[in-house]
Amino acid sequence: MNDLTRPELVCPAGTPASLRAAVDAGADAVYCGFQNATNARNFAGLNFTPDELAEGAEYAGQKGAKLLLAINSFPPAGKFDLWRQAVDTGVQTGVDAIIVADMGVADYVRTRWPEQRLHLSVQAGASSAEAIRFYCQEFDIKRVVLPRILTVAEIKAIHDEIPCEIEAFVFGNIGMMAEGRCSLTNYVTGVSTNMDGVCSPAGRVEYKEDTQKNLTTRLGDFTVDCFACGENAGYPTICKGRYLTEDRREPYYAFEEPVSLNLTSLLPDLMKAGVTALKIEGRQRSRAYVKSVVGAFRKAVDDLMAGRPPELTELLNLTEGNKQTEGAFGGKRWR
Amino acid sequence: MSAAMAGNFVHSFLSSRQAQYLPKKLLSPIPLSPLQPLLQRMLKAVVEANPGIFNRLGMHRTKRFLIDPVNMPFVLLLVPDPENLTIKAVRRSENPSHDARIAGTFLILLDMIDGNLDGDALFFSRDLIIEGDTEAVVCLRNAMDDLEGSVADDIAGVLGKPGELTLTALRKIRLYDE
């Protein structure tokens, strides 16, 4: 045994089957969202109806897991009703916490449902102790999901200065370092990641493999990348694209590379830094992904808590482009 | 000879890739017409076992999906419209008109449908090819991923004992491939 505090393992679910897979694989909490723009993962064919959410809450409750509802996009002017309705449905379903990003939504929850536990979404982009304290004071936020721009040392410093719990991403997609503020999809497709909840909407994505098996990926009118035959591919997002520019002879990743976050080796450091909850990204991924990743992290956390060196399962085959990084958590090395 | 032994036997003479593409050669002389009612029955069995399966497809349920098991001598044309549920085996050379194409080896497609493999990971590793209406494909993928249990077992069940034995042999070949 050791002096580490047991962290909560927070896992993604894009469908009811994924929710059950996450719970069965050892999730302490599962997060999900509705099939509309209130949800920052508002992808086609994904997410929960109110009835599915209720069934999910029951299943999670029976197995001792919590259910967290992400209402984490930003309502455009005049469209607040949809967000209000989502909050009301979530509270009436009995979700354990609502994850919000918008101050108006946070205020609505706090005013209408004063007992409802609130978490601050990564989409809020609260990266300083001052900003987090403001949310805590104004909306009684109980937990903040930190943006993926901080080192472990910075997380520790923030932890010492805020009155709420910290949730940190440990695995999954890692995108442009401007969470809640990225407008690249909006620029290219006219659909807003932050207000419509969709990054690179599938309806505007086109894949084309030529006779030499080179794969071209397009979003709207823009070519995002061209992968040679046999080369690992990435998501069709602008921030992970490879571009031709005037000052380079070869196409290059101008923003970010196709790569996934994997902090398995930093788990003890994160736990010592005061991280209460470890978050796995991937509501758009399959139940096979959920089962594998949640199972691997469940085992790693249990090993650490028992004082055993964690046996880290190989997760590289589930990462974007078959590449993984510790991102900013291991130290900032931005270009 | 058991199905598992058959898998071992095949692999004692052929490489994984040769074994993987063996069905394309062996099955190519077989006429497709006897397959059609069987496929329709299989699809019906899956839908009856999972009545909400196509809810996630929304407006895409009338789209024509070309499921292309690249190591088989035919492709499958699927229209997942509950009002007019259709699945048809077609020779690849006929190049049937479609809205979206999903291609991979038969076992990869089967394992993805069964929730054993992640579609995004298969796309990253280039083992899965998607073309055409990406949104329709994503919806179909999410609909299939919301199924629990084994669709492959449901399908094999339609064929009775021969179906179960074939599935066991195919899974054995898949194990060798890993």
Side-chain angles (χ1 to χ4, degrees):
Chain A
M1 297 300 287
N2 52 49
D3 57 355
L4 294 172
T5 304
R6 186 182 183 82
E8 195 175 278
L9 194 55
V10 182
C11 307
T15 62
S18 286
L19 182 147
R20 291 188 284 273
V23 171
D24 294 347
D28 297 308
V30 180
Y31 65 103
C32 56
F34 287 125
Q35 295 172 346
N36 60 37
T38 64
N39 171 6
R41 280 282 182 267
N42 180 22
F43 293 132
L46 204 68
N47 299 311
F48 288 66
T49 64
D51 285 345
E52 287 170 345
L53 187 77
E55 287 163 14
E58 194 180 338
Y59 189 84
Q62 283 169 357
K63 302 274 180 118
K66 293 174 186 164
L67 186 63
L68 317 179
L69 177 63
I71 304 178
N72 59 341
S73 51
F74 296 84
K79 295 187 176 175
F80 198 84
D81 277 355
L82 185 64
W83 277 256
R84 194 181 287 125
Q85 195 180 31
V87 167
D88 293 348
T89 306
V91 174
Q92 286 155 4
T93 301
V95 297
D96 293 282
I98 296 179
I99 308 166
V100 296
D102 179 73
M103 281 189 262
V105 177
D107 183 61
Y108 174 71
V109 178
R110 190 48 59 239
T111 308
R112 176 73 180 83
W113 305 103
E115 301 300 317
Q116 178 62 53
R117 182 179 165 96
L118 273 182
H119 293 180
L120 189 64
S121 170
V122 68
Q123 285 289 99
S127 55
S128 69
E130 288 78 6
I132 296 163
R133 280 202 302 268
F134 172 80
Y135 282 103
C136 293
Q137 284 159 16
E138 295 300 317
F139 309 113
D140 193 23
I141 294 286
K142 298 294 188 195
R143 179 185 295 174
V144 58
V145 185
L146 289 179
R148 286 158 272 197
I149 57 168
L150 301 164
T151 62
V152 175
E154 286 171 332
I155 291 173
K156 172 77 175 85
I158 286 176
H159 170 260
D160 294 343
E161 293 182 45
I162 61 171
C164 71
E165 299 170 358
I166 288 178
E167 183 171 308
F169 280 95
V170 292
F171 191 87
N173 190 20
I174 180 167
M176 186 74 176
M177 301 300 182
E179 283 152 321
R181 296 173 185 128
C182 176
S183 294
L184 291 173
T185 282
N186 200 352
Y187 174 73
V188 170
T189 68
V191 179
S192 166
T193 302
N194 306 313
M195 292 189 283
D196 300 303
V198 188
C199 173
S200 291
R204 303 297 305 279
V205 172
E206 186 191 347
Y207 300 114
K208 194 77 193 167
E209 198 171 90
D210 66 20
T211 49
Q212 276 80 48
K213 299 197 180 298
N214 301 305
L215 175 70
T216 300
T217 305
R218 292 175 64 81
L219 180 66
D221 297 330
F222 293 83
T223 299
V224 173
D225 212 332
C226 184
F227 303 98
C229 174
E231 185 183 11
N232 289 321
Y235 279 122
T237 56
I238 295 292
C239 63
K240 304 283 184 82
R242 194 161 33 176
Y243 303 102
L244 288 163
T245 57
E246 286 177 2
D247 60 338
R248 298 261 182 155
R249 289 187 178 176
E250 298 292 326
Y252 83 115
Y253 292 105
F255 302 103
E256 303 269 341
E257 293 182 21
V259 63
S260 292
L261 183 73
N262 186 354
L263 300 188
T264 41
S265 60
L266 289 180
L267 287 181
D269 297 331
L270 287 167
M271 288 155 74
K272 283 176 197 158
V275 171
T276 307
L278 306 171
K279 185 167 205 149
I280 295 166
E281 188 275 345
R283 284 191 281 152
Q284 74 284 12
R285 300 293 289 265
S286 67
R287 63 192 155 108
Y289 166 96
V290 168
K291 190 178 167 189
S292 297
V293 179
V294 175
F297 275 89
R298 175 76 280 150
K299 179 143 190 5
V301 169
D302 289 349
D303 283 345
L304 283 168
M305 293 311 298
R308 297 187 295 266
E311 188 187 311
L312 303 177
T313 311
E314 181 58 75
L315 295 171
L316 190 64
N317 65 330
L318 291 169
T319 57
E320 183 179 4
N322 279 297
K323 282 188 285 186
Q324 53 194 13
T325 177
E326 291 180 350
F329 294 85
K332 291 177 180 172
R333 290 181 291 272
W334 286 303
R335 289 174 271 189
Chain B
M1 185 187 290
S2 73
M5 282 169 67
N8 289 335
F9 181 75
V10 164
H11 274 278
S12 60
F13 290 101
L14 300 172
S15 70
S16 284
R17 186 174 164 77
Q18 283 172 325
Q20 216 174 46
Y21 281 83
L22 199 57
K24 194 171 184 175
K25 286 187 177 169
L26 291 179
L27 300 177
S28 57
I30 296 174
L32 296 182
S33 48
L35 258 184
Q36 311 301 1
L38 209 56
L39 286 168
Q40 202 69 30
R41 268 175 58 205
M42 287 172 176
L43 182 62
K44 202 165 163 243
V46 172
V47 174
E48 277 172 1
N50 308 278
I53 181 173
F54 298 127
N55 290 349
R56 290 184 180 274
L57 282 165
M59 65 178 183
H60 299 296
R61 58 182 63 184
T62 55
K63 297 275 170 70
R64 289 158 303 161
F65 294 90
L66 191 72
I67 317 291
D68 186 352
V70 293
N71 55 342
M72 290 288 170
F74 55 82
V75 295
L76 298 171
L77 195 61
L78 167 72
V79 182
D81 180 3
E83 306 295 313
N84 184 26
L85 206 54
T86 308
I87 189 162
K88 195 177 169 195
V90 183
R91 294 285 176 203
R92 196 170 277 105
S93 56
E94 288 178 34
N95 194 20
S97 157
H98 57 274
D99 298 294
R101 173 176 171 257
I102 305 162
T105 64
F106 180 75
L107 285 173
I108 276 182
L109 295 174
L110 202 62
D111 270 344
M112 189 173 66
I113 290 169
D114 261 1
N116 298 323
L117 291 176
D118 176 66
D120 286 17
L122 293 169
F123 172 76
F124 298 148
S125 63
R126 308 285 299 274
D127 289 312
L128 187 71
I129 300 158
I130 294 163
E131 285 175 332
D133 189 333
T134 310
E135 186 173 277
V137 173
V138 169
C139 286
L140 181 64
R141 189 276 305 262
N142 290 334
M144 301 304 286
D145 200 54
D146 198 25
L147 300 179
E148 279 168 304
S150 167
V151 175
D153 285 341
D154 290 346
I155 291 170
V158 172
L159 299 173
K161 198 69 185 168
E164 288 164 25
L165 287 171
T166 306
L167 188 60
T168 307
L170 287 170
R171 282 178 171 152
K172 185 76 185 172
I173 290 169
R174 173 88 181 115
L175 278 178
Y176 272 97
D177 196 37
E178 283 172 349

